[in-house]
Amino acid sequence: MDSNGPIDYLPIAITVLVAGGFVVTTMFVSNILGPKRKGKIKLDTFECGIESQGNARIPFSIKYFLAAILFVLFDVEVIFLYPWAVDFRKLGMDGFWEMISYMGVILIGFFYILKKGALKWDTD
Amino acid sequence: MTLSLFIIYKAVLVILVFLISLVIAMYSTYAERKVAAFMQDRIGPNRAGPFGLLQPVADGVKMFMKEEIIPQVSNKFLFILGPSVAMFTSCITGAVIPWGTSLHIAGHDFALQVTDINIGILYVMAVTSIGVYGIMIGGWASNNKYSLLGALRASSQMISYEVAMGLAIIALVMTTGTLSLKGIAAAQTGWHWNIVYQPLGFLIFIICAFAETNRTPFDLPESDSELIGGYHTEYSSMKLGFYLFAEYINMFISSAIMSTLYFGGYNMPFIGRLGLSPNTMAILGVVFLFAKIFFFIFFFMWVRWTIPRFRFDQLMNLGWKILIPLSIFNMAITGFIILVLHK
């Protein structure tokens, strides 16, 4: 694989500048152009036309949190696989079986969380 | 090539890619309405300009001229940050996509790619992951229950499908042996398109791409019949425009990535036989790539007006219980076949 120097990342810096500049300018311009007629009711949060009840800083289902934690676990595992996938042919059959056993361990954990019902959405 | 020439050429290319993605995103909104109208036997927008061609411009101007409303109870800084992050991330993804080979002008080679970094795919994955924050921050900062629900749904949906997407890409990397998008595109000359070697991987990837861009049938974050507007319920003016626009840019970029990863990018099987000069071939390659991209954008729209929305538990089950095991299986099979064939 060919190597990269810092110079290859310079265009990304230019892209970041262009995109960032565009976003900031557009936000600013649209703020200037629009009319400004504020009112108490207008600045209320929208709740289907009825008076809003409390605010949205409320507890939400733990399932979302579980999904996020599981994502972190599995994404880290996916990242471990990338270097292996690039050098996959060089590592040959030995590397393949090692990775299969690694994936096997991961899969045991995966079936454990499935059986535990961590991803069951239709209960409660 | 001197440094100043290099910087000027890259800056021109960056701005060109940026403008093209903006224009394509603008006209995708028009195309979406025309395609919807066509599929539902209606006429679609036809008032602004001939065939309604100026409709996107009119929409853009309208977005600019509308009042900006920031709810009293919202967190103001994060409220503005949310759509900015969404727009920003979708704009910088295009930097690693190879739009063509290279043009040879006045003794210099001008590659038609903003930059070829050797971790191209990882860059795309990383930037799209940041895109989740745009939706999450905006939905939470609105301090509206519908927005909160929409943001929660969006973030858990996007992160769930990211795992399967990463695993599908690993199988692809195993066949190509490189993470650089340029390398992947260059390897697919003739009929050696990766779709031939990775049909299952492509299926997983396209499903995940639909989920990542929040397109139907995975548009639960903004399912208007239950959540009003989802995470952008409270947004108005150009901030709303940014969210909607970012979705269309994401659609364009993911179409470009699908074409590059699985459908040969700028390659076309018969192109080598025509005996054209390298510069003409490079330009033709760009044309072919855009033809593929437009097909995928049309495909996104086609699916939107054909398939109804999933329920949330169906969506999570599909992601975790079907796509992840399937992509692991795909990876194992790919590896096994490659190793057996190369012995």
Side-chain angles (χ1 to χ4, degrees):
Chain A
M1 193 195 276
D2 50 352
S3 58
N4 278 168
I7 194 79
D8 289 304
Y9 288 88
L10 183 70
I12 290 186
I14 301 175
T15 314
V16 167
L17 278 183
V18 170
F22 171 77
V23 167
V24 170
T25 322
T26 313
M27 277 292 183
F28 194 65
V29 169
S30 94
N31 186 34
I32 292 172
L33 283 180
K36 284 168 193 64
R37 285 183 290 272
K38 311 280 181 206
K40 196 193 166 301
I41 294 172
K42 208 183 207 174
L43 294 181
D44 240 4
T45 47
F46 181 72
E47 220 154 275
C48 291
I50 56 169
E51 243 174 84
S52 49
Q53 301 288 319
N55 64 17
R57 304 283 178 255
I58 43 174
F60 52 83
S61 173
I62 191 80
K63 296 278 161 77
Y64 290 108
F65 177 72
L66 265 180
I69 288 291
L70 292 176
F71 159 73
V72 172
L73 288 177
F74 279 89
D75 215 38
V76 168
E77 161 223 337
V78 170
I79 289 301
F80 277 137
L81 290 172
Y82 272 97
W84 167 72
V86 173
D87 276 339
F88 162 70
R89 279 164 214 244
K90 242 181 274 167
L91 295 170
M93 250 335 171
D94 292 344
F96 178 70
W97 289 118
E98 274 163 22
M99 237 352 152
I100 288 288
S101 58
Y102 170 71
M103 290 309 294
V105 176
I106 298 283
L107 276 178
I108 293 171
F110 183 67
F111 286 119
Y112 174 74
I113 56 165
L114 285 191
K115 280 276 164 281
K116 271 283 179 186
L119 295 164
K120 253 201 191 118
W121 286 84
D122 37 9
T123 52
D124 72 38
Chain B
M1 200 183 291
T2 57
L3 186 66
S4 56
L5 179 65
F6 178 77
I7 290 176
I8 291 171
Y9 140 65
K10 288 298 182 192
V12 168
L13 196 63
V14 164
I15 291 171
L16 209 63
V17 167
F18 180 68
L19 288 180
I20 288 175
S21 25
L22 283 190
V23 169
I24 287 183
M26 267 172 82
Y27 274 90
S28 297
T29 64
Y30 169 77
E32 173 121 78
R33 287 190 226 170
K34 276 292 186 196
V35 169
F38 169 69
M39 291 191 180
Q40 297 163 350
D41 207 8
R42 295 185 281 115
I43 295 171
N46 67 345
R47 292 287 144 173
F51 307 107
L53 274 174
L54 294 177
Q55 190 66 47
V57 182
D59 286 341
V61 172
K62 185 192 84 176
M63 288 286 188
F64 268 113
M65 304 305 288
K66 286 285 176 186
E67 180 174 2
E68 278 198 328
I69 294 168
I70 301 179
Q72 203 83 66
V73 286
S74 69
N75 188 318
K76 288 202 176 46
F77 174 68
L78 294 178
F79 191 80
I80 298 169
L81 187 69
S84 310
V85 169
M87 186 70 185
F88 175 72
T89 52
S90 59
C91 284
I92 63 172
T93 333
V96 292
I97 295 172
W99 305 101
T101 45
S102 57
L103 288 175
H104 199 73
I105 301 167
H108 293 294
D109 255 342
F110 294 99
L112 293 174
Q113 181 184 20
V114 173
T115 180
D116 174 37
I117 50 177
N118 55 12
I119 49 152
I121 296 183
L122 288 183
Y123 173 82
V124 173
M125 295 279 285
V127 173
T128 43
S129 315
I130 302 173
V132 181
Y133 286 104
I135 290 174
M136 212 157 36
I137 290 172
W140 185 83
S142 301
N143 205 344
N144 177 322
K145 286 149 203 153
Y146 295 106
S147 306
L148 181 70
L149 279 175
L152 283 173
R153 281 186 180 186
S155 39
S156 54
Q157 163 184 338
M158 285 163 94
I159 61 178
S160 299
Y161 280 76
E162 217 170 273
V163 178
M165 188 183 240
L167 286 166
I169 290 179
I170 282 176
L172 181 86
V173 171
M174 283 159 72
T175 61
T176 58
T178 175
L179 290 171
S180 140
L181 286 173
K182 190 180 188 177
I184 291 174
Q188 302 180 70
T189 49
W191 275 117
H192 296 287
W193 289 5
N194 284 330
I195 178 80
V196 182
Y197 308 109
Q198 283 291 319
L200 185 60
F202 173 67
L203 188 71
I204 296 165
F205 189 88
I206 196 169
I207 294 174
C208 295
F210 272 82
E212 292 280 312
T213 47
N214 294 327
R215 294 282 302 183
T216 327
F218 303 105
D219 64 339
L220 287 108
E222 42 191 307
S223 52
D224 19 23
S225 51
E226 3 178 327
L227 292 182
I228 311 176
Y231 56 88
H232 53 60
T233 302
E234 288 297 338
Y235 281 91
S236 62
S237 172
M238 210 52 205
K239 293 201 208 67
L240 174 67
F242 270 6
Y243 271 131
L244 303 181
F245 220 62
E247 187 187 316
Y248 282 94
I249 296 182
N250 284 337
M251 199 164 91
F252 167 61
I253 295 293
S254 50
S255 299
I257 288 172
M258 274 191 278
S259 320
T260 309
L261 291 184
Y262 291 97
F263 282 85
Y266 47 77
N267 288 301
M268 210 60 183
F270 53 83
I271 198 169
R273 272 182 245 148
L274 296 176
L276 299 165
S277 72
N279 279 355
T280 329
M281 289 237 299
I283 291 169
L284 265 183
V286 177
V287 174
F288 286 133
L289 176 63
F290 272 90
K292 290 169 191 172
I293 292 173
F294 290 145
F295 170 75
F296 277 114
I297 292 180
F298 172 72
F299 186 73
F300 269 104
M301 291 166 186
W302 189 5
V303 169
R304 173 162 182 186
W305 301 108
T306 310
I307 301 179
R309 183 183 298 141
F310 280 119
R311 220 172 47 216
F312 195 70
D313 60 313
Q314 293 172 330
L315 169 114
M316 295 306 271
N317 281 347
L318 176 69
W320 284 95
K321 295 181 187 162
I322 298 175
L323 287 184
I324 290 180
L326 202 63
S327 50
I328 290 177
F329 169 76
N330 178 45
M331 200 183 80
I333 289 290
T334 310
F336 192 72
I337 291 178
I338 292 177
L339 285 177
V340 166
L341 287 183
H342 278 258
K343 264 222 168 136

